Every structure is written in structure tokens, then in C-alpha cells.
Amino acid sequence: MKKYAYIGALGFLAIITTEFGIIGILPQVAEYYHISIDKAGYLLGAFALVIALTGPFMTLLTSGFDRRKVMLTAIFIFLITGVVSSFSPPFWLLMIVRILPAFLQPVYIATALSVAVSQGNKQNGNELMSIVFSGVALAMVTTVPFATYIASVFSWEYSFMVQAIISVVALLAIYFVLPPMPVKEKKSYGSQLKILTRPMFIVSTAMNFFMISAWFSTYSYFADYLNKAKNMDSTMVSYMLFVFGIIGVFANWIAGKMLNKNITATAAFFLSGTIIVPVLLHFSGGNTIATMIVIAIWGFLYSPSFLNASTYMISSAPEAMEFANSLATSFGNLGVTVGTTVGGWIIVSKGVQYTPLLTLVFGALAFLMILLRQYLKGREVLLQTDKNHCIST
């Protein structure tokens, strides 16, 4: 039943609007609180860091709870964040309410994916996951640029009001559409933690980390980059976010189909953007039309990154799907933190125009991890073949 996947996507829409809606208004927030852009970036980086540090543990702790209640609780906390933030509280309080929902973000994602996949079959599992992850792309095309646009017309506080409204809609949908979903058989902690000893899973995790670090070293400062490196005003930036997102919706759909055929090739294809986009951004210069085309390519190759990362990691530990996905979310968000932090340092020391170079460096490291996993996979197959040969003889 695809309706469960679509409900998961709606909740994802609320989550991503809250987490990444801040990207389009970072310059305004920095100006309001009289802080530098890299310090304003902590609102994104700290959120991601909490996810990275607590995600797997929170997912293990909540693995025995009713899935519907877990999803409702997570979205309710996101609602509180949006409401409190819209009143422009002191920066320390804004930081706290930004961090609170981060504890349950990976729990929601893992639960929503589990609910969606449990209602389908193995053949369309990746496609159902892509529906859930389409909430990311939909946020990029609708709520994130809309929140940025509203902030440019009125003030940045209105951006958080948009986030709160989306959370209310998601909360109502989960409450009225999903039935109670108690966990019938809770997996032991040991059986789930065992995947941490597998070299292929560790390398897959590293690929996820480097890939997300690559994208977010520039994407976290999307508005600031377009403001200063491409001379675009806030309204134009909101239009660029719209272009970025609308291409991303299509990209997620394509990625879902491709993943059903070949997970590694799909991950490598979209990862190529971390090499291609920085080069194109450099050569587009101050040409607005050329920059718009590059942003469209950027949106297409970036948007399925979280879907690709989760699927890539789960494929090396399918029997512990929820825990593997929570680790994918955690290390992906660790990548967000590192990318945002290092990107902020580069902006302060060199200038925002240099952040795409970080994307290229991290992207090359991610490609290296894909090659390493293929080597390990080949060696594993060879060892298994030798073992079977010994048994047969």
C-alpha cells in the first residue's frame, strides 16, 4: 500500500522544511542577531551533529514502541520548534529549540521507511523508499523556497511559521490515516549491532559521510554563495531554490527506478555531481542563465543523495534495516555538520566562492570509498567461491 509511503513523505516534508528551511534565511538571521554567517550556520550544523551523535541509540531505544506513536511524537516536537522559533527568541534559545527535534529525526525516518517497505514486497522496496524520500525533494521545491520567499518579503520569523504549518498538516495526516502499529517482534540489540563489524558496511558508511560532506560544504551556504559569488538578491535565491527543488522531485523518482536495477551504479552516477557541479559553477562566472542551468544540474544530482546513501548502506545490512538506516541518517548528518563547519571556515578565511572546491575534494573521497567497497565485495565473493569449492571436494 503506497499510501503509507506517501504519509511518510509528508512527515519527511515537515522535517526537511525545519532542518533545511534555515539555509535560505541564514544571512537574515546573522544580521538580526549581529553574528557572522559561519556562527549562524551552527543552527544547521548543531542540528545535524545531534542527529549524528544520538541517532542510532535513539532508534535502538524506540525500536519496540508503536510506530504510529513514534512518528506522532517526532512531528509534534518539530511543530514546537517552528512555533517557538517564529517568535525570534534569544539566539541561545533558538539554538536549543532547533536541537530538540534532532533527537527524533532519524527515528522518524527509520520508522517511516520501515512502515512503507513492510506494506510492499522486495521487488518494489527501493521504489517505496524513494516515495518516502520524495519528501526531501518536495520540500526543496515547495516549502523551503516558499519559506525563503516569505522571509524576503516580510521577515525571517515568517519562515518558521511556514515550518509550523507543515508540521501541523503532517501531524493530522499521521493521526487520522495511519492505524496503530505495535511492534510484534523486537530484534535484539546484539543482532543489530553486529553489522558494525562488517568491513563493507563500514566503507559504505564512510561513502555516505564523504558524499553528504561534499554536497553540504557548498549547499549549506546556498543563499550566501548566490548572493556574493553570483550577485543574486534574496528573491532570486528563492527562485533558484525552486528550480533546484522541482528538478529534485524528478531526480528522486528517477533514482528510485535506477536503484531497483543497480544500487552501486546509481550511487556513483549521482555522486558524479560533486565533481561536475563545482567545475560548472566556476566556468558559469557571472552569467545568470548559465548559473541557472548549473543549479538545475546541481538539483538533479544532489536531491537523491539521502535516498542513495540509505539504500547503499542498507544493501550491505538488509537484515537490520531500521538500525542501518538510522546510521545512514546519523553519518549523513555528521557529513552535514562537517561540510557546514569546514565550509564556514573557508568562507571566513578565503571567501564563499571557494566552497565548491571542498565539494570536489570530499566527492573524490566518496568515490574512493565506492571503489574500496567493490574491491571488498569482489574479495568476499572470491573467498565464498573458494569455500564452496573446498566443501564440494
Side-chain angles (χ1 to χ4, degrees):
M1 294 173 65
K2 288 186 177 181
K3 73 174 182 179
Y4 290 164
Y6 286 114
I7 292 296
L10 183 57
F12 220 149
L13 178 69
I15 284 173
I16 296 303
T17 305
T18 301
E19 182 173 6
F20 297 143
I22 193 73
I23 289 173
I25 62 170
L26 274 183
Q28 292 182 50
V29 172
E31 183 180 357
Y32 179 86
Y33 287 104
H34 304 293
I35 56 177
S36 60
I37 190 71
D38 62 314
K39 288 182 179 176
Y42 293 160
L43 290 169
L44 179 62
F47 187 104
L49 184 60
V50 169
I51 293 172
L53 295 177
T54 68
F57 306 106
M58 292 298 295
T59 302
L60 284 175
L61 286 173
T62 58
S63 60
F65 296 152
D66 185 292
R67 290 168 175 172
R68 177 172 174 264
K69 290 179 180 177
V70 168
M71 292 169 73
L72 284 170
T73 303
I75 298 300
F76 180 72
I77 295 176
F78 273 88
L79 170 60
I80 292 173
T81 294
V83 172
V84 176
S85 299
S86 68
F87 288 101
S88 58
F91 188 74
W92 65 267
L93 181 56
L94 180 63
M95 181 70 78
I96 289 173
V97 296
R98 280 279 300 171
I99 288 173
L100 281 177
F103 287 96
L104 286 180
Q105 197 233 45
V107 174
Y108 175 87
I109 296 172
T111 305
L113 287 172
S114 177
V115 167
V117 172
S118 67
Q119 302 303 311
N121 52 53
K122 291 183 178 180
Q123 285 69 38
N124 68 347
N126 290 330
E127 193 171 344
L128 289 170
M129 285 176 63
S130 75
I131 292 174
V132 177
F133 273 99
S134 68
V136 179
L138 286 171
M140 298 306 177
V141 72
T142 56
T143 52
V144 171
F146 179 67
T148 303
Y149 174 75
I150 289 294
S152 70
V153 174
F154 299 103
S155 66
W156 63 270
E157 291 91 343
Y158 285 86
S159 174
F160 289 105
M161 291 182 186
V162 172
Q163 297 172 25
I165 291 169
I166 301 302
S167 295
V168 169
V169 174
L171 199 65
L172 292 174
I174 294 169
Y175 183 80
F176 286 109
V177 177
L178 290 187
M181 293 182 171
V183 175
K184 296 177 182 177
E185 184 180 349
K186 184 180 177 181
K187 296 177 182 176
S188 69
Y189 293 154
S191 66
Q192 297 179 75
L193 290 169
K194 190 167 61 177
I195 65 175
L196 297 176
T197 63
R198 296 181 189 171
M200 271 183 59
F201 185 77
I202 293 169
V203 170
S204 301
T205 302
M207 192 287 286
N208 174 12
F209 167 73
F210 287 128
M211 176 177 69
I212 302 301
S213 295
W215 285 122
F216 277 83
S217 55
T218 300
Y219 179 65
S220 293
Y221 301 99
F222 189 88
D224 199 47
Y225 178 79
L226 294 184
N227 285 159
K228 295 175 181 175
K230 302 298 181 181
N231 298 314
M232 294 183 181
D233 61 24
S234 296
T235 302
M236 190 65 177
V237 169
S238 70
Y239 294 153
M240 291 301 97
L241 281 168
F242 179 77
V243 170
F244 192 93
I246 200 165
I247 295 294
V249 173
F250 177 68
N252 265 277
W253 180 77
I254 291 290
K257 298 290 185 182
M258 291 174 65
L259 285 167
N260 279 334
K261 296 179 180 178
N262 191 310
I263 292 172
T264 301
T266 302
F269 172 75
F270 286 98
L271 178 61
S272 67
T274 60
I275 309 298
I276 295 169
V277 171
V279 174
L280 294 179
L281 283 172
H282 173 74
F283 285 106
S284 67
N287 188 313
T288 303
I289 300 299
T291 299
M292 288 181 67
I293 293 171
V294 176
I295 287 172
I297 296 170
W298 186 358
F300 181 82
L301 295 173
Y302 155 80
S303 291
S305 57
F306 287 103
L307 169 62
N308 290 335
S310 289
T311 309
Y312 193 69
M313 286 179 64
I314 289 169
S315 68
S316 61
E319 76 284 4
M321 176 187 168
E322 289 184 37
F323 185 53
N325 183 72
S326 72
L327 285 165
T329 303
S330 288
F331 278 90
N333 276 274
L334 183 60
V336 173
T337 302
V338 171
T340 301
T341 302
V342 179
W345 291 341
I346 290 294
I347 291 171
V348 171
S349 60
K350 300 289 184 181
V352 72
Q353 67 272 22
Y354 289 99
T355 55
L357 286 175
L358 282 176
T359 297
L360 197 149
V361 171
F362 280 125
L365 291 171
F367 265 115
L368 188 61
M369 293 303 105
I370 286 182
L371 292 175
L372 182 55
R373 170 167 155 167
Q374 289 303 101
Y375 166 75
L376 291 172
K377 185 177 180 180
R379 192 177 69 171
E380 194 175 273
V381 170
L382 187 62
L383 289 172
Q384 187 62 43
T385 302
D386 290 343
K387 184 179 179 181
N388 292 339
H389 178 71
C390 291
I391 292 172
S392 63
T393 55

